Amino acid sequence: MSRMLVTGGAGFIGSNFVHYILENTDHHVTVLDKLTYAGNRASLDGLDAARFSFVRGDITDASAVDALVAGTDIVVHYAAESHNDNSLDDPRPFLDTNIVGTYILLEAVRRHQKRFHHVSTDEVYGDLELDDPSRFTEQTPYNPSSPYSSTKAGSDLLVRAWVRSFGVQATISNCSNNYGPRQHVEKFIPRQITNVLTGERPKLYGDGLNVRDWIHAADHSAAVLTILERGHIGETYLIGADGEKNNREVMELILTALGQPTDAYDHVAERPGHDVRYAIDSTKLRTELGWMPQFSNFEVGIEATVQWYRDNEDWWQPQKAATEARYLSQAR
Ligand code: NAD
Ligand code: DAU
């Protein structure tokens, strides 16, 4: 049994990880989360108080971080500003949280000699052409496109430097696009589901041919636990589930799951700098550490996700109007 400090545990992927850890291990979890617009305390409701605690705080607050890191065994770092569109509007919080926040955590784990896992994204590698047969591997050069992905790339490089220069016991994972329960309504899949549920037309950026490599959040959680248990210090592991689909295909699956015609959506303004295609080769994680994704049927996963949003309107409804107002101001 270990004590885990999970940063960003009230967000989408962090909360899925916390649920996963409490259901599948005997570890104790403390969440450190600032509860920005993207964090939702309700995502952690009902967890076993004997094994779970919640601290509202900022990862850029060095003294709060130091005290929490001192009292833990492992730090799993999910906290971030995570949305590309927001980073185009106002990059500053991305620099503060993703770069400075990661630096503060690295200094604390260095001081207290704690195991650190850094959760990152495939977007650090830039994008691939639609007709390029290759996929990202751990050897792909960094080439981020957006303010969001460049701050994630910067944070990855800080982790690598702290491993090499100071011997910090860290691993890094770079995962593709996640879907599943408790994702903020600003993101593609929940936005379209909740648009239909509130009588709005779904919105597709540009021609909708951009490809994302989808993975269920539970498979991401299992992969991170595998890396914590069997990963090698200083190594990077790519996480992906062979889930490439273009945005039109995903839109049509969502509309079908909601009983709507497959063309019942609008084309809206293109995202500036929109990455064309992401694709992950996760051979290293599968062959060296023995992880395999369990959610192989994307259509079934989308139906379950639609059902979750139908059943949990209280969770997402308070965010919906403000999110759409923000998109309206961007013509998206
Ligand atoms: P999210 O936006 O849903 O959640 C982020 C969480 O971090 C929120 O709870 C927020 O309150 C918290 N937070 C933000 N700033 C903070 C700060 N300064 N101090 C403390 N807490 C703070 O994000 P997500 O989609 O769950 O992504 C989580 C992590 O996974 C991020 O690091 C992201 O880069 C990475 N990632 C996401 C995806 C994806 O598809 N969503 C894929 C690969 C990697
Ligand atoms: O690849 C991993 C990344 O996936 C993570 O690092 C990010 O944190 C996460 O937000 C996600 O980034 P994307 O930009 O790919 O996700 P998003 O859900 O914003 O968009 C997915 C695709 O759908 C993208 O091509 C843009 C498009 N899109 C998005 C929205 C919100 C639309 O066509 N319409 C929309 O309304």
Side-chain angles (χ1 to χ4, degrees):
M1 197 275 281
S2 296
R3 296 163 302 169
M4 278 187 189
L5 179 66
V6 178
T7 73
F12 165 46
I13 306 181
S15 67
N16 275 282
F17 179 74
V18 172
H19 283 267
Y20 186 87
I21 291 298
L22 293 176
E23 281 160 24
N24 293 287
T25 73
D26 60 359
H27 300 309
H28 185 282
V29 173
T30 299
V31 164
L32 169 61
D33 197 295
K34 185 177 175 180
L35 295 181
T36 65
Y37 80 96
N40 192 335
R41 182 65 181 81
S43 295
L44 302 167
D45 279 353
L47 296 176
D48 178 3
R51 290 178 54 214
F52 169 75
S53 56
F54 181 82
V55 177
R56 185 171 191 180
D58 192 324
I59 59 166
T60 65
D61 177 346
S63 59
V65 164
D66 187 78
L68 286 166
V69 168
T72 199
D73 301 308
I74 302 170
V75 178
V76 191
H77 177 32
Y78 287 90
E81 286 293 336
S82 69
H83 194 38
N84 277 299
D85 291 321
N86 293 345
S87 81
L88 297 165
D89 257 10
D90 181 11
R92 181 60 197 249
F94 290 76
L95 290 149
D96 292 339
T97 291
N98 301 356
I99 305 243
V100 177
T102 301
Y103 157 74
I104 297 285
L105 285 160
L106 284 168
E107 283 294 82
V109 295
R110 173 187 173 200
R111 260 192 309 278
H112 297 288
Q113 299 186 11
K114 306 292 182 173
R115 173 83 168 85
F116 186 71
H117 181 72
H118 180 63
V119 176
S120 192
T121 171
D122 58 358
E123 294 193 18
V124 300
Y125 299 113
D127 60 353
L128 300 160
E129 294 302 324
L130 291 180
D131 59 0
D132 183 344
S134 65
R135 301 190 290 172
F136 299 139
T137 71
E138 287 79 4
Q139 279 71 49
T140 304
Y142 274 38
N143 186 26
S145 314
S146 74
Y148 161 68
S149 53
S150 59
T151 59
K152 290 299 291 188
S155 67
D156 292 10
L157 298 181
L158 291 178
V159 177
R160 290 183 185 192
W162 262 242
V163 169
R164 177 152 175 174
S165 303
F166 306 123
V168 161
Q169 301 284 294
T171 41
I172 300 174
S173 54
N174 297 81
C175 189
S176 60
N177 284 63
N178 284 222
Y179 74 99
R182 296 185 287 274
Q183 186 169 29
H184 194 278
V185 292
E186 69 190 355
K187 301 297 195 315
F188 179 55
I189 290 175
R191 184 182 186 205
Q192 315 317 328
I193 296 172
T194 56
N195 272 7
V196 173
L197 296 180
T198 54
E200 288 280 324
R201 299 253 308 171
K203 309 277 191 274
L204 197 63
Y205 295 172
D207 62 12
L209 294 179
N210 306 62
V211 169
R212 296 295 182 265
D213 188 353
W214 294 97
I215 179 173
H216 195 280
D219 278 334
H220 187 181
S221 296
V224 170
L225 180 61
T226 300
I227 296 165
L228 288 170
E229 289 174 345
R230 299 198 284 279
H232 300 290
I233 297 304
E235 292 291 317
T236 290
Y237 298 92
L238 264 56
I239 306 173
D242 304 330
E244 281 186 72
K245 295 241 174 309
N246 74 36
N247 294 338
R248 273 194 212 177
E249 294 172 301
V250 177
M251 182 72 93
E252 289 174 8
L253 283 175
I254 293 168
L255 288 165
T256 302
L258 284 155
Q260 301 291 311
T262 53
D263 61 354
Y265 61 85
D266 293 333
H267 288 271
V268 294
E270 183 59 291
R271 172 187 282 173
H274 197 174
D275 278 341
V276 175
R277 171 175 160 249
Y278 306 139
I280 288 265
D281 178 348
S282 57
T283 302
K284 177 178 173 182
L285 179 64
R286 295 179 193 219
T287 55
E288 290 185 17
L289 305 188
W291 170 85
M292 279 293 285
Q294 302 300 314
F295 287 75
S296 50
N297 190 327
F298 184 66
E299 207 171 323
V300 170
I302 287 289
E303 285 166 7
T305 305
V306 165
Q307 194 57 46
W308 189 88
Y309 283 89
R310 279 191 195 281
D311 294 343
N312 290 279
E313 192 170 335
D314 289 353
W315 183 92
W316 57 263
Q317 189 60 261
Q319 297 280 338
K320 185 64 183 168
T323 303
E324 288 306 314
R326 183 162 193 163
Y327 276 125
L328 199 59
S329 73
Q330 301 166 337
R332 287 197 289 275

